[in-house]
Amino acid sequence: MAGIYIHIPFCERKCIYCDFYSIEDNSLQQKFVSSLIKEIELSDAVWQNEIIETIYFGGGTPSVLSPHKIGTILKAIHNRFNISAEPEVTIEINPGTIIPHYFKEYLSSGINRVSIGVQSFRDQDLQFLSRIHNASEATNTILDARRSGFNNISIDLIYSLPTQTLDNWKEIIRRAVEFNPEHISAYNLTVENQTPLSRMVQSGSVTIPEDDLCAKMFRYAMKYLEECGYIHYEVSNYSLPNMESKHNSNYWMHKPYLGLGPSAHSYRNDLRWWNHRNIGDYLDNIAEGKVPLSGSEHLTPQQTMIEEVMFQLRMGKLDFNHLQNKFKIEMDPSQKLIKDLINDNYIEYKDGIVKLTENGFVFCDEITKRFLNSFSIM
Amino acid sequence: MKILELRTIFGIFSLINPASILRDCSYLPLMMEHIRNFCIIAHIDHGKSTIADRLLERTGTITEREMKFNQVLDDMELEQERGITIKLHAIHMKYRAADRNEYTLNLIDTPGHVDFSYEVSRSLEACEGAILVIDASQGVEAQTISNLYLAIEAGLEIIPVINKIDLPGAMTEQVKHQIIDLIGCKEDDIIMASAKMKIGVDEILEAVVKRIPAPSGNPTAPLKALIFDSIFDSYRGSIVYIRVVDGVLREKDKVKFFATNKYFDAEEVGILEMDRLRTKELRAGDVGYLIPGAKDVHDTKVGDTITNANNPADGPLPGYKEAKPMVFAGLYPVNADNFGELRESLEKLRMNDASLIFEPESSVALGFGFRAGFLGLLHMEIVQERLEREYQQELITTVPNVEYRVIKLDGDVVLVDNPAFMPPIGDIDRIEEPFIRAQIITPTEYIGNIMKLCTDRRGVYKNTTYIDPTRADLRYELPLSEIIFDFYDKLKSTSRGYASLDYDFLENRESDLVKLDILLNGESVDALSSIVHRDKAYEWGKKLCAKLRKLIPRQMFEVVIQAAIGSKVIARDTISAMRKNVIAKCYGGDISRKRKLLEKQKEGKKRMKQVGRVEIPQEAFLAVLAMEE
Ligand SMILES: Nc1nc2c(ncn2[C@@H]2O[C@H](COP(=O)(O)OP(=O)(O)OP(=O)(O)O)[C@@H](O)[C@H]2O)c(=O)[nH]1
Ligand code: SF4
Ligand SMILES: [Mg+2]
């Protein structure tokens, strides 16, 4: 079982907080698509032996490419790889880049899941984020997707914006739920290095909300979405039962995936590698018949273990029996850490399995660090 | 080696024509009259090591091509990196002088920094003369004077050299007058040089030959050799650098070390060129090395005298005063299991650094470690770095402090070099702290600034003299504790870098001192205790708490930091609890990034110490050092 990720490196306009690789120049689209198809053909033959269960168009903004182009790419993928009978095929789309009939075309080319970059239902927030769309466009896009027949819709939201109060956020998340999306991703705004936002924060023109408020917003999302029947299956991801993103879940289970397009990452058998984060280099490599590889890392067993602990805890649990079998780690027999964490209401623990509480999710990184520090093969 | 045997046989002829024999067959001069032992002394950075480069080149000890870097004698990685000399470096040269005779010159390059003056005083004992270097653009500075006095006290012939005359800012005439006033020499005695432009090199060499007396020992008397330095070699054990004063030392001789009362068979004897060169013997007047085959670091001691066990000298040479450590700090292994390894490393390092002293101690916060004494903060920093680099030790160091003399009510006197061990207030009659005599040399326009600085540091003004109309020599008495941290930096910044400082221990004096404890969530952290003057305690406590707030990362609970004198809390700060700690996204490139962070934290964890539930990073133990005014 494996996945394929396709990175579409175009956006109508760069958002101030974004550190994904994308460019605003659309003139290279045609060339990019034909290179991507070549990259698919250049891919290592081992991938032909895998059964591909998920395909994911991410970006950038995949919806700036015409559905026809997306269809062509999908066809090339089908030609090259062994696709399972009922794959999960997702496309990220952004309101403001899409016209209603696109959805029908997506469906007919085999796409069965859309992830909509809504971010907020407040114009003020959207303006702050320098998104190209407004709240009503966001609403319409969701409705269009549903009307066109999509029955697996994900909505992306961002909270902890300087323009938001806790009440604003509560309102946004309630609005999102009203659409009955199968999946919601709610991300705390991250100030990434070298983005316009980080410069604004540094210069003091923007003040990021205190951790205290961020934590309240996070806690509210967890609580409210759970009440509404959503399962909190990863720090920032919630879904109706059985509607998790299979593609993303595979990342967090160290399943193999092949990333195509500039900056895309791939993983297989302890090896991670990534493509050039620059469309020029990417196109040049492919023109020369080369894989557009930028770098790679081979994970030591210890590194694999670290990632696995981190992934598992981000998914709200830690399976000690599994870790002990797979990595031969030694646990403190007195279980002092576990007792402390239970006492402080960060985890529940039963039969070798740790489960994060709501409070535990808020401190997930800290807990990960503590578990890793307590293991003694490291 | 036949040659050496020949040499002894021809010893007699050498009286007739020494030059011919020297030229043909020997590394060592036959007669003491053709030996010159001298060192180069100066204030820091005046160009000692660069002059040494030129002498090495000119005498053919090293070719220009072999001169891979500047200050080639500064062969320690740290010396090259920092561009300063840390240790004395002895080297053997051959020089054919204008009088057609070939001379053996044993040169010792010395450090200029005040923390390493012990290296200078030890070097002087192995020499009959000293080249006193003065930077033409700086003039006479504090260590010019202090090192000069050391040399005069040791009875050395002084050759003043004004270096860097190539610099546009050279004040050659003015500096000449400063020197004449200082030494009472004639203008003609002063050599004008530029090590950079290779000016004055021959003049220096000729002056060494002509003005410095030959050594005056007795080659036929029982062996007496002074150990002026040593190193530890993991294969050969200890290697001692010696100046033979009387007699002859040959390989296989049974030698006795006076102070340690140990006996060895001399395994290898030789001279110090760029590498060690085995000569099998050293005679009165020579400088060289001896490998005694001593594997235990305690067997040899710098300052000790070596004699021949079968024909011993009556008694040892005067040796050296032990270096007086000025500051003390705790050195703890990051990983408690490495205590033994740290001890071994310290012992080996002490072979290389005679001024280092240490003894075991323990701390509630840090576990088992050592309290070490240093000559100053730079010395402490160097020791720490050498332990880390040369001995791969991971260390936590505590805030340095001076040694207090505590007189208890019952009359007992305790020396306290670790604030944590200060007796309870109720038992103390009075506390004395070390005062130093400071000499500050400065251009006159900065006198006002410097006086203000000294007053702020509880200094007692003594007097001012003038080296020339533009340069003053200020004398103060200051508590040592007030100058060890940032006094020197402040002095430099308040004088645009022109003032220089020299100091030596004066006496212990009673002061109104208190012990300041730091508590984290109510638990006292022994390694953070300090002793401060009562008038400064409040200010100090407040700053320390604020600094710790910045250095201790947020924890999952609130941390209250308090500074207290006895049970009285005088300052307080809090680190609020962490409210959230989770990154939002973990896809693609985020994964490796996040993993690397976790790996780093795991590494960092080792450097964290726990007091109660509070994790304290290593830097916090040095918080005081990083405190701004
Ligand atoms: N312009 C000029 N620079 C010089 C001369 N001699 C030395 N220097 C420079 O002065 C600096 C200090 O020289 P060193 O030889 O390291 O001085 P030092 O006295 O050995 O210093 P310490 O051992 O640390 O006390 C270096 O940057 C040298 O390049 C000279 O004649 N002219
Ligand atoms: S639309 Fe998405 S990918 Fe494009 S700039 Fe904005 S946040 Fe980045
Ligand atoms: Mg030097």
Side-chain angles (χ1 to χ4, degrees):
Chain A
M1 133 163 225
I4 289 180
Y5 172 79
I6 305 105
H7 190 83
I8 309 294
F10 301 104
C11 284
E12 204 135 288
R13 188 174 77 210
K14 277 308 277 185
C15 304
I16 56 163
Y17 60 97
C18 174
D19 76 336
F20 294 115
Y21 177 66
S22 66
I23 56 171
E24 294 171 350
D25 172 8
N26 286 332
S27 65
L28 290 171
Q29 280 186 11
Q30 188 51 52
K31 193 151 181 230
F32 166 73
V33 172
S34 45
S35 298
L36 186 64
I37 288 169
K38 265 206 201 124
E39 191 191 1
I40 292 168
E41 285 156 7
L42 281 171
S43 65
D44 195 312
V46 295
W47 294 99
Q48 292 179 299
N49 303 328
E50 295 279 359
I51 300 199
I52 306 297
E53 304 210 332
T54 65
I55 300 172
Y56 195 103
F57 287 90
T61 309
S63 53
V64 299
L65 290 190
S66 68
H68 175 74
K69 287 201 177 79
I70 297 285
T72 322
I73 298 167
L74 264 178
K75 229 174 259 150
I77 290 174
H78 275 269
N79 285 341
R80 173 80 184 173
F81 304 106
N82 204 343
I83 312 293
S84 74
E86 284 177 53
E88 176 194 273
V89 186
T90 309
I91 187 166
E92 286 178 350
I93 61 163
N94 280 334
T97 61
I98 200 151
I99 26 183
H101 75 260
Y102 275 19
F103 288 112
K104 283 260 183 299
E105 291 183 49
Y106 287 150
L107 280 170
S108 62
S109 61
I111 290 170
N112 50 28
R113 184 169 181 272
V114 283
S115 167
I116 306 175
V118 170
Q119 319 311 357
S120 171
F121 293 104
R122 298 174 67 241
D123 286 345
Q124 208 188 337
D125 296 346
L126 293 167
Q127 273 159 22
F128 167 75
L129 292 170
S130 69
R131 300 290 306 195
I132 58 169
H133 66 275
N134 58 28
S136 73
E137 284 170 305
T139 308
N140 289 334
T141 306
I142 303 169
L143 294 174
D144 288 341
R146 190 60 93 200
R147 278 192 215 110
S148 315
F150 271 95
N151 54 19
N152 193 351
I153 295 176
S154 176
I155 291 180
D156 272 8
L157 299 172
I158 303 184
Y159 63 94
S160 295
L161 303 182
T163 44
Q164 268 170 3
T165 63
L166 179 58
D167 284 338
N168 293 151
W169 169 241
K170 288 182 178 173
E171 183 56 33
I172 292 165
I173 202 141
R174 281 186 214 128
R175 283 280 294 282
V177 170
E178 282 167 18
F179 295 98
N180 291 315
E182 284 69 23
H183 189 277
I184 293 176
S185 299
Y187 298 107
N188 191 106
L189 176 68
T190 309
V191 181
E192 304 283 1
N193 284 337
Q194 282 169 346
T195 55
L197 177 63
S198 97
R199 289 188 282 275
M200 291 153 89
V201 171
Q202 260 162 30
S203 74
S205 65
V206 161
T207 311
I208 295 298
E210 297 279 327
D211 277 356
D212 209 7
L213 177 58
C214 303
K216 283 191 178 124
M217 291 184 172
F218 184 27
R219 286 175 199 275
Y220 181 78
M222 284 191 272
K223 214 201 221 85
Y224 183 72
L225 291 173
E226 197 185 329
E227 277 167 26
C228 299
Y230 288 86
I231 294 158
H232 186 199
Y233 75 96
E234 198 263 354
V235 169
S236 304
N237 289 285
Y238 308 80
S239 77
L240 293 179
N242 300 318
M243 300 305 278
E244 317 79 55
S245 160
K246 288 200 194 95
H247 183 82
N248 288 341
S249 300
N250 282 350
Y251 290 163
W252 303 321
M253 293 190 288
H254 270 152
K255 296 273 161 62
Y257 53 93
L258 173 63
L260 303 163
S263 83
H265 282 63
S266 306
Y267 180 87
R268 189 190 160 82
N269 291 347
D270 304 330
L271 189 67
R272 179 174 290 118
W273 66 98
W274 47 94
N275 284 352
H276 292 297
R277 195 187 153 93
N278 173 307
I279 192 150
D281 294 343
Y282 173 82
L283 296 176
D284 287 353
N285 272 202
I286 297 207
E288 293 165 26
K290 287 199 300 209
V291 184
L293 183 70
S294 161
S296 66
E297 60 179 0
H298 193 117
L299 302 189
T300 62
Q302 174 167 314
Q303 290 175 320
T304 313
M305 187 273 285
I306 294 177
E307 290 192 359
E308 221 154 284
V309 170
M310 153 178 122
F311 290 150
Q312 282 202 24
L313 284 168
R314 288 184 66 83
M315 296 199 283
K317 57 170 198 303
L318 195 59
D319 182 342
F320 278 132
N321 303 326
H322 165 80
L323 289 176
Q324 246 157 348
N325 286 336
K326 185 160 171 190
F327 300 106
K328 309 277 172 289
I329 49 181
E330 292 280 327
M331 234 80 69
D332 169 17
S334 74
Q335 302 202 327
K336 178 168 183 324
L337 175 61
I338 290 188
K339 283 177 195 151
D340 284 352
L341 292 173
I342 294 173
N343 262 339
D344 292 340
N345 184 30
Y346 295 115
I347 62 166
E348 288 160 9
Y349 181 71
K350 207 174 152 216
D351 302 333
I353 299 198
V354 167
K355 279 180 96 169
L356 290 190
T357 60
E358 177 194 303
N359 198 35
F361 268 111
V362 177
F363 294 97
C364 181
D365 289 3
E366 175 68 24
I367 293 166
T368 309
K369 184 181 90 184
R370 289 215 199 168
F371 272 119
L372 287 174
N373 288 347
S374 77
F375 296 157
S376 58
I377 64 153
M378 302 180 72
Chain B
M1 224 191 213
K2 272 276 173 304
I3 295 170
L4 282 161
E5 287 160 26
L6 276 177
R7 202 190 81 153
T8 347
I9 299 166
F10 285 135
I12 292 188
F13 299 124
S14 71
L15 288 170
I16 307 162
N17 185 359
S20 66
I21 293 177
L22 282 170
R23 189 169 52 239
D24 292 338
C25 58
S26 174
Y27 293 102
L28 294 173
L30 293 170
M31 294 188 312
M32 284 161 64
E33 72 186 68
H34 291 129
I35 303 177
R36 296 294 180 269
N37 296 321
F38 67 102
C39 52
I40 312 187
I41 58 174
H43 190 79
I44 191 165
D45 267 354
H46 282 203
K48 295 175 288 297
S49 303
T50 313
I51 289 183
D53 283 352
R54 294 295 88 82
L55 302 185
L56 293 174
E57 254 169 37
R58 174 65 183 77
T59 55
T61 313
I62 183 168
T63 60
E64 263 182 74
R65 223 161 30 84
E66 289 169 317
M67 186 77 76
K68 292 194 197 70
F69 35 78
N70 293 328
Q71 293 95 37
V72 62
L73 291 180
D74 289 343
D75 53 5
M76 218 193 290
E77 190 181 279
L78 270 171
E79 294 183 308
Q80 281 292 330
E81 252 170 51
R82 294 177 177 237
I84 57 167
T85 304
I86 291 167
K87 234 182 117 59
L88 66 88
H89 295 281
I91 182 118
H92 177 103
M93 307 185 286
K94 283 273 185 262
Y95 173 63
R96 179 164 301 279
D99 65 10
R100 304 290 304 134
N101 286 319
E102 183 161 79
Y103 288 84
T104 286
L105 308 183
N106 287 306
L107 153 70
I108 305 179
D109 183 24
T110 67
H113 192 280
V114 58
D115 279 12
F116 306 120
S117 66
Y118 192 52
E119 300 282 317
V120 181
S121 27
R122 292 196 337 263
S123 306
L124 298 170
E125 294 300 326
C127 300
E128 280 75 39
I131 298 180
L132 176 69
V133 181
I134 300 106
D135 183 326
S137 66
Q138 301 291 325
V140 167
E141 295 195 77
Q143 275 77 46
T144 315
I145 300 179
S146 59
N147 288 334
L148 168 69
Y149 286 165
L150 287 175
I152 291 176
E153 225 171 282
L156 267 52
E157 176 68 32
I158 310 292
I159 302 175
V161 172
I162 299 184
N163 185 35
K164 308 198 191 182
I165 56 167
D166 60 288
L167 284 178
M171 322 170 282
T172 317
E173 283 311 305
Q174 200 180 325
V175 175
K176 255 190 210 166
H177 285 110
Q178 291 174 1
I179 296 171
I180 293 168
D181 286 354
L182 191 65
I183 313 183
C185 62
K186 293 198 293 288
E187 184 166 350
D188 288 349
D189 294 338
I190 305 172
I191 299 173
M192 294 295 137
S194 160
K196 186 176 172 192
M197 310 303 287
K198 310 194 178 183
I199 301 170
V201 182
D202 286 338
E203 286 84 339
I204 294 173
L205 286 167
E206 284 301 316
V208 165
V209 167
K210 291 207 190 92
R211 295 197 225 161
I212 296 178
S216 63
N218 178 358
T220 57
L223 173 67
K224 259 190 195 174
L226 173 70
I227 304 180
F228 63 88
D229 199 8
S230 68
I231 60 170
F232 190 82
D233 181 285
S234 34
Y235 301 105
R236 309 295 308 265
S238 69
I239 302 178
V240 294
Y241 294 172
I242 53 176
R243 159 71 193 270
V244 181
V245 176
D246 289 327
V248 183
L249 168 64
R250 293 189 186 84
E251 283 183 11
K252 302 205 181 76
D253 281 353
K254 196 168 188 64
V255 292
K256 172 188 171 182
F257 287 54
F258 268 105
T260 54
N261 199 25
K262 297 267 173 165
Y263 293 82
F264 295 98
D265 293 323
E267 220 171 63
E268 185 181 319
V269 169
I271 55 173
L272 298 157
E273 296 203 329
M274 288 310 286
D275 297 308
R276 289 192 295 271
L277 182 71
R278 188 170 178 191
T279 58
K280 298 195 174 180
E281 74 167 36
L282 291 170
R283 340 182 91 232
D286 287 341
V287 171
Y289 70 92
L290 158 69
I291 302 179
K295 296 286 185 270
D296 187 335
V297 291
H298 301 288
D299 291 343
T300 57
K301 194 166 156 287
V302 165
D304 197 1
T305 302
I306 302 172
T307 190
N308 190 311
N310 297 323
N311 179 20
D314 310 340
L317 296 158
Y320 301 123
K321 270 193 289 180
E322 296 260 324
K324 183 172 172 53
M326 296 279 193
V327 297
F328 297 81
L331 297 178
Y332 288 81
V334 164
N335 181 340
D337 300 342
N338 296 342
F339 173 76
E341 226 179 87
L342 177 57
R343 177 200 294 274
E344 246 170 65
S345 308
L346 278 164
E347 281 174 348
K348 286 182 187 162
L349 183 57
R350 180 163 53 190
M351 290 289 299
N352 273 270
D353 180 349
S355 55
L356 175 64
I357 63 155
F358 57 90
E359 58 184 33
E361 72 167 15
S362 71
S363 145
V364 181
L366 301 173
F368 289 99
F370 297 89
R371 175 107 327 212
F374 308 95
L375 301 178
L377 276 203
L378 178 63
H379 183 218
M380 167 171 163
E381 215 178 297
I382 298 288
V383 166
Q384 198 182 322
E385 280 207 38
R386 291 187 70 183
L387 285 169
E388 289 182 345
R389 290 186 194 200
E390 295 169 33
Y391 300 92
Q392 287 77 46
Q393 296 301 301
E394 286 195 285
L395 294 177
I396 293 184
T397 30
T398 65
V399 177
N401 52 266
V402 302
E403 184 175 61
Y404 299 91
R405 194 163 173 271
V406 180
I407 296 95
K408 299 213 287 192
L409 287 171
D410 61 9
D412 279 2
V413 175
V414 234
L415 294 180
V416 176
D417 63 9
N418 178 347
F421 300 137
M422 183 60 91
I425 303 181
D427 295 357
I428 298 176
D429 175 46
R430 60 183 195 277
I431 305 176
E432 293 177 354
E433 63 175 332
F435 266 64
I436 51 118
R437 220 180 335 237
Q439 172 182 29
I440 299 168
I441 304 222
T442 176
T444 45
E445 61 256 51
Y446 305 114
I447 291 180
N449 292 351
I450 291 170
M451 288 188 144
K452 174 164 187 320
L453 175 65
C454 289
T455 311
D456 287 348
R457 299 303 175 95
R458 303 192 275 133
V460 181
Y461 173 74
K462 298 315 281 185
N463 67 312
T464 307
T465 52
Y466 290 85
I467 295 177
D468 66 22
T470 62
R471 276 175 106 71
D473 176 343
L474 303 180
R475 300 295 170 112
Y476 267 91
E477 290 169 4
L478 283 150
L480 176 61
S481 64
E482 294 282 347
I483 68 157
I484 53 176
F485 294 131
D486 55 352
F487 182 81
Y488 191 66
D489 294 339
K490 288 270 148 28
L491 181 69
K492 284 281 170 194
S493 62
T494 203
S495 67
R496 295 168 172 256
Y498 283 114
S500 59
L501 163 76
D502 195 76
Y503 60 85
D504 58 4
F505 176 74
L506 173 62
E507 62 185 3
N508 282 312
R509 276 189 198 166
E510 181 178 350
S511 293
D512 189 5
L513 299 168
V514 291
K515 176 178 172 218
L516 190 69
D517 290 317
I518 294 292
L519 295 88
L520 295 180
N521 284 354
E523 280 196 55
S524 155
V525 186
D526 58 357
L528 286 174
S529 293
S530 52
I531 291 166
V532 291
H533 194 268
R534 190 182 300 277
D535 295 347
K536 295 189 171 185
Y538 283 81
E539 194 55 19
W540 188 251
K542 220 167 75 190
K543 275 194 214 152
L544 191 49
C545 288
K547 188 73 200 175
L548 287 168
R549 176 165 50 100
K550 285 193 197 141
L551 288 173
I552 298 174
R554 283 187 175 209
Q555 323 255 324
M556 281 157 95
F557 42 86
E558 184 180 79
V559 177
V560 177
I561 309 169
Q562 291 166 311
I565 299 174
S567 56
K568 186 172 163 217
V569 173
I570 59 165
R572 184 182 197 278
D573 228 311
T574 53
I575 304 170
S576 56
M578 193 190 283
R579 289 309 163 90
K580 163 182 165 287
N581 185 9
V582 55
I583 57 154
K585 289 184 302 164
C586 196
Y587 308 97
D590 306 327
I591 299 172
S592 312
R593 222 181 312 152
K594 177 73 189 150
R595 186 200 69 236
K596 284 183 189 143
L597 187 70
L598 286 165
E599 288 173 310
K600 225 166 87 196
Q601 283 170 337
K602 172 89 186 167
E603 264 313 296
K605 160 80 185 171
K606 287 202 220 132
R607 297 197 159 239
M608 293 274 194
K609 290 288 159 183
Q610 195 140 357
V611 170
R613 290 179 69 199
V614 185
E615 283 193 341
I616 312 174
Q618 187 190 8
E619 307 83 73
F621 294 102
L622 284 169
V624 180
L625 288 186
M627 235 149 56
E628 306 88 38
E629 283 290 292

